[in-house]
Amino acid sequence: MAVRATLSRFPIDPDAHEGSGLPWGVTVTPFAVKDENGQPPAYGSDGHLLPRCENCWAYFNTYCELEQWSWTCSLCGTLNGLSSKVIARYSSPQSCPEMMSSFIDLELPAGEPEEEATQARPVYVAAVDLSSSEEFLELTKSALLAALEALGPGSLFGLATFSHKLGLYDVQGPIPVVKNILIPPDLEGTLPIELEDVMPLLQFLAPVETCKDRIASALETLRPTTSWERTTAAGQGMDGVLMGGRGFGVAMEALFNYLGSEYGSTFALARIFAFLSGPPDYGAGQLDTRRYGEQYASKGEDADRALLPEQTPFYKDLAAVAVQAGVCVDIFAVTNEYTDLASLKFLSIESGGSLFLYSNSDDSTLPQDMYRMLSRPYAFGCILRLRTSSEFKPGNSYGHFFPDPQYENVQHIICCDSYATYAYDFEFANNVGFSRSKHSLKRRLRIRTLQYGTAQNINELYDSVDPEAVLSLLVHKVILASLEQGVREGRMLLHDWLVILTAQYNDAYKLVQYKNGNSVTGEMDITFSQCPQLQPLPRLVFALLRNPLLRFHEEGVHPDYRIYLQCLFSALEPSSLHRAVYPVLVSYSTPDKQAYPRHSLNRAALITSGSPIFFLDAFTTLIVFYSSTADPALPFPPPHDCLLRTSINKLKQDRCITPKLIFIRGGQEDATVFENYLIEEQDVDGSGHTSVMGFVSFLEDITHSVLEYMK
């Protein structure tokens, strides 16, 4: 479990927090194999014996005071008694993980042997869109064949298809058999028959280890539904417009109910891989994608704001059904048409799944992403609870979870891998502030207890800043603001935050003072020259404003791509998010020798370095760029056994998604894709390139805004 605080020393009271201008909170990666310092947890057993506070329900930890018969809670100060079993356990403290480490991972006792045998079987169901093309289906087949290789023994797999009908495959016989049920075209329609009556669930779910070849054979039978089939089934839709035949909503609801009937008996978790080639346009849950064209053409309405909210609560309500059924949904959208991911995203983010978007099937990394996703361990049926000492409390929580409907600050996570990250804001509870404080299945209790000191003055608070954790909190806040009030409001929030922070920093260090309300003495410091921990923030804010997440609709940012970035960024741990927002640019003198580990993202940096080779890591994209002045004798592309290739392979291996790798020879090939990442030359509002003045102009604007703010 990795936990990164925006401030390693907390503000001592509300005034100190308010005066700092900094967000206060943490990011949490609960299933990370190590903590933020690279240390693994202390492992042990008998998690059910770990003492809990009778008042606040916190767990015993190394910060608690322990006496012979009792212990004092480190969070609320309550004195708790110890049971005889625990007293006996703590007589040998060296054998108790909770006595040795504040980061522990304890096994919980399993249920009955028969119960464990059935519940231990993970279930995977592929739901494939047949209202698609041959190319889409070929890509989907490749992805599912990769998935079959990644699934461990004991896994159960089901194949379903959807169009204007829902198809269930029985692959356990000598030849695959599909049974189809017509999907009603009306908006309120449901299937006329239960799927269990069409095909018993255990006939639909096939053991992967004995049926892999038959599943592969069934995949080969997949064919797109013909336009005649879809037209005949769909008929005339809204306002006389001919509708398609992609009955995604009804298919998902039926599959959730199908699987949910066996939740807790046949399986403990089911994952549905939903492959979409376009928007749902048939039956319940169909989406009206004409709003994209209308808003795009409109000059009078903020398209950025209009296209971010969902147009129907159907899929958010359906996500609650998935959670109740113990189903996690991963959506793989392979399309360049408007699909309204703003409405569909809830199915994945609230059920603990992922949302992937690929613009075409030609260079898609879908098969690699499937294999990578299923090869890493994951936890399921998780409950995440953040407890704090009594002086402060969690405020907003951010991430892909389902909030508990009854208990505050409790999040349910259906599926959580080692990369999934969540964030929390902190706020003071009162005005006083601080005083002083292979496939296997196991039930585990993972606990991380941390102690943070308080900063005694503003200098100490600023010196304790973690800029990457600050970026994480800012991204969550601007996403929330964009969804509620539009992209323009999200941009204003970010700009104003940097202005206020800069003003309060200059005031705290007494760098600028006003006389008679308008006379300035001293020189404005907008680069935070006296505080190294704050220095990255102006560049990060500028980069975030230039990111498609917050760029204006008029710049050609597709609304589905913006939603995809929201879902991706809101689940990334801070270091990965940093690369996604402000890419890392490294130079090499040869493919085997690094020249400089980090450059600013502008042409001047490239020219002054004199290096012939540059490697840019933008998290989802990796680019190797040979400058036009590079020695022609240098091998292009870099050899597979060189240092640069080794570094690239390690980055790809450690990433939660498969980044696209691009090689460009400057002067001979189009370098636009590389130059687009040189964001410091771009105007912050997207009005075009401004030579080398982009970031410089931004700082001048911040200076002017700070002076106005401080008057």
Side-chain angles (χ1 to χ4, degrees):
M1 183 184 295
V3 179
R4 292 181 62 173
T6 57
L7 305 164
S8 61
R9 298 191 75 82
F10 284 2
I12 197 162
D13 56 33
D15 290 340
H17 177 219
E18 188 70 26
S20 73
L22 290 163
W24 177 30
V26 291
T27 65
V28 183
T29 311
F31 203 51
V33 293
K34 295 180 180 178
D35 68 14
E36 64 282 359
N37 298 312
Q39 297 300 311
Y43 291 96
S45 56
D46 296 328
H48 63 296
L49 295 179
L50 190 64
R52 300 189 69 176
C53 177
E54 296 171 0
N55 178 48
C56 71
W57 293 99
Y59 289 93
F60 176 84
N61 57 78
T62 53
Y63 297 108
C64 297
E65 293 181 10
L66 180 65
E67 299 177 22
Q68 186 174 4
W69 312 105
S70 62
W71 62 283
T72 303
C73 177
S74 58
L75 295 187
C76 71
T78 299
L79 184 67
N80 299 272
L82 292 171
S83 68
S84 55
K85 281 187 178 180
V86 173
I87 291 171
R89 175 183 169 91
Y90 289 169
S91 63
S92 303
Q94 67 280 1
S95 64
C96 301
E98 66 269 29
M99 301 281 279
M100 309 297 291
S101 173
S102 62
F103 180 19
I104 59 174
D105 197 323
L106 306 181
E107 281 191 36
L108 292 168
E112 296 297 320
E114 311 82 38
E115 182 187 349
E116 185 181 356
T118 56
Q119 290 193 12
R121 308 201 78 174
V123 167
Y124 304 91
V125 173
V128 182
D129 179 5
L130 295 187
S131 298
S132 57
S133 64
E134 290 281 3
E135 293 77 16
F136 170 84
L137 289 181
E138 285 303 316
L139 178 64
T140 301
K141 291 173 192 176
S142 298
L144 288 174
L145 289 173
L148 291 175
E149 294 304 315
L151 297 181
S155 302
L156 299 175
F157 182 87
L159 176 61
T161 58
F162 61 91
S163 55
H164 62 280
K165 56 190 176 183
L166 173 60
L168 301 178
Y169 277 76
D170 177 2
V171 299
Q172 299 189 56
I175 58 170
V177 175
V178 60
K179 293 187 177 180
N180 292 304
I181 312 99
L182 288 174
I183 295 174
D186 52 296
L187 288 169
E188 303 297 326
T190 57
L191 290 184
I193 186 172
E194 295 291 334
L195 296 189
E196 183 69 28
D197 297 330
V198 177
M199 184 181 294
L201 185 61
L202 293 180
Q203 187 178 333
F204 171 69
L205 298 175
V208 171
E209 64 265 34
T210 58
C211 297
K212 188 180 293 186
D213 292 341
R214 293 173 184 173
I215 296 169
S217 298
L219 292 175
E220 289 304 318
T221 68
L222 297 181
R223 296 286 183 274
T225 53
T226 65
S227 57
W228 181 86
E229 278 186 278
R230 278 179 280 176
T231 304
T232 305
Q236 298 296 308
M238 292 179 288
D239 301 328
V241 177
L242 189 68
M243 302 301 292
R246 193 176 289 112
F248 178 68
V250 175
M252 287 296 104
E253 185 172 24
L255 287 172
F256 296 163
N257 293 330
Y258 191 27
L259 295 167
S261 63
E262 294 296 316
Y263 179 38
S265 54
T266 300
F267 67 90
L269 169 83
R271 289 186 83 159
I272 291 182
F273 309 133
F275 297 92
L276 269 173
S277 67
D281 55 8
Y282 183 80
Q286 62 184 269
L287 299 171
D288 180 8
T289 56
R290 293 174 300 171
R291 71 172 185 159
Y292 176 55
E294 290 167 1
Q295 296 298 342
Y296 195 81
S298 168
K299 300 298 181 185
E301 190 168 351
D302 183 356
D304 294 307
R305 183 173 182 177
L307 294 170
L308 284 174
E310 70 275 18
Q311 63 172 284
T312 169
F314 181 88
Y315 290 99
K316 191 164 191 174
D317 295 341
L318 197 53
V321 177
V323 170
Q324 289 297 317
V327 176
C328 163
V329 183
D330 299 294
I331 296 177
F332 301 90
V334 185
T335 176
N336 60 359
E337 65 174 307
Y338 178 56
T339 304
D340 193 12
L341 295 183
S343 296
L344 293 171
K345 68 178 182 181
F346 296 102
L347 266 188
S348 61
I349 64 176
E350 294 200 353
S351 68
S354 300
L355 174 66
F356 295 84
L357 177 63
Y358 309 92
S359 59
N360 60 69
S361 55
D362 296 337
D363 56 357
S364 168
T365 57
L366 173 54
Q368 297 94 320
D369 287 337
M370 281 290 290
Y371 185 84
R372 191 179 295 254
M373 180 179 75
L374 294 174
S375 296
R376 54 183 179 252
Y378 58 86
F380 59 86
C382 311
I383 298 175
L384 181 60
R385 174 70 187 265
L386 182 70
R387 291 184 175 88
T388 65
S389 55
S390 56
E391 299 92 341
F392 70 111
K393 60 184 180 180
N396 292 323
S397 52
Y398 311 93
H400 299 180
F401 51 68
F402 193 83
D404 189 281
Q406 184 176 359
Y407 298 104
E408 195 177 6
N409 298 321
V410 175
Q411 285 85 36
H412 294 267
I413 304 169
I414 303 301
C415 186
C416 173
D417 66 18
S418 54
Y419 293 100
T421 301
Y422 310 88
Y424 296 86
D425 275 330
F426 288 146
E427 57 189 43
F428 282 97
N430 51 52
N431 293 326
V432 177
F434 289 105
S435 45
R436 300 290 306 170
S437 78
K438 296 175 184 173
H439 149 226
S440 63
L441 176 70
K442 290 182 180 177
R443 294 181 66 225
R444 306 195 75 89
L445 180 65
R446 177 168 284 199
I447 299 169
R448 183 81 191 278
T449 307
L450 297 102
Q451 185 178 58
Y452 290 96
T454 53
Q456 300 306 306
N457 53 58
I458 194 71
N459 299 45
E460 196 174 316
L461 193 66
Y462 283 149
D463 287 339
S464 75
V465 168
D466 180 339
E468 291 184 338
V470 169
L471 175 65
S472 285
L473 266 291
L474 288 176
V475 166
H476 283 292
K477 287 174 181 293
V478 297
I479 287 175
L480 192 61
S482 298
L483 288 171
E484 292 179 349
Q485 298 173 288
V487 170
R488 200 171 300 275
E489 186 65 28
R491 292 176 63 89
M492 287 175 58
L493 172 75
L494 194 60
H495 178 274
D496 292 351
W497 173 81
L498 182 59
V499 168
I500 294 169
L501 172 66
T502 308
Q504 291 178 322
Y505 159 81
N506 278 270
D507 183 58
Y509 281 84
K510 304 291 188 284
L511 300 174
V512 175
Q513 294 180 345
Y514 278 83
K515 292 181 179 178
N516 303 322
N518 54 16
S519 175
V520 181
T521 60
E523 187 174 341
M524 178 73 64
D525 180 5
I526 55 169
T527 60
F528 302 102
S529 61
Q530 297 191 29
C531 183
Q533 294 303 107
L534 296 178
Q535 287 171 13
L537 292 176
R539 269 193 166 84
L540 291 177
V541 169
F542 175 80
L544 191 51
L545 289 168
R546 285 303 307 143
N547 193 277
L549 183 77
L550 288 178
R551 290 214 317 250
F552 290 116
H553 191 72
E554 296 77 40
E555 290 189 67
V557 180
H558 197 289
D560 283 339
Y561 183 60
R562 197 193 305 277
I563 294 295
Y564 162 71
L565 289 181
Q566 287 182 356
C567 294
L568 175 67
F569 286 8
S570 60
L572 289 180
E573 54 85 28
S575 296
S576 297
L577 182 60
H578 188 174
R579 289 171 186 262
V581 170
Y582 192 94
V584 175
L585 182 62
V586 184
S587 60
Y588 284 78
S589 49
T590 72
D592 269 311
K593 185 178 180 183
Q594 187 184 101
Y596 194 73
R598 189 134 198 172
H599 293 277
S600 299
L601 297 177
N602 55 60
R603 283 185 178 83
L606 272 65
I607 295 168
T608 56
S609 77
S611 300
I613 303 171
F614 294 88
F615 171 58
L616 184 133
D617 178 5
F619 190 74
T620 57
T621 305
L622 307 176
I623 301 176
V624 176
F625 176 76
Y626 279 49
S627 73
S628 56
T629 58
D631 186 344
L634 287 172
F636 178 87
H640 284 281
D641 57 350
C642 70
L643 173 65
L644 176 53
R645 280 293 189 121
T646 304
S647 302
I648 290 172
N649 291 337
K650 186 173 189 316
L651 284 172
K652 290 172 72 175
Q653 210 170 30
D654 295 340
R655 204 137 290 181
C656 61
I657 61 171
T658 308
K660 183 184 292 185
L661 178 59
I662 302 171
F663 297 98
I664 300 173
R665 191 192 285 268
Q668 299 181 32
E669 299 169 352
D670 184 6
T672 304
V673 66
F674 175 71
E675 292 169 351
N676 285 342
Y677 283 106
L678 302 179
I679 56 174
E680 293 193 14
E681 299 175 355
Q682 299 167 17
D683 184 81
V684 74
D685 291 324
S687 55
H689 289 271
T690 55
S691 182
V692 294
M693 293 300 291
F695 181 56
V696 175
S697 297
F698 171 72
L699 292 180
E700 290 173 356
D701 172 67
I702 294 296
T703 303
H704 176 74
S705 299
V706 171
L707 292 172
E708 288 295 314
Y709 176 80
M710 294 182 74
K711 280 184 179 178

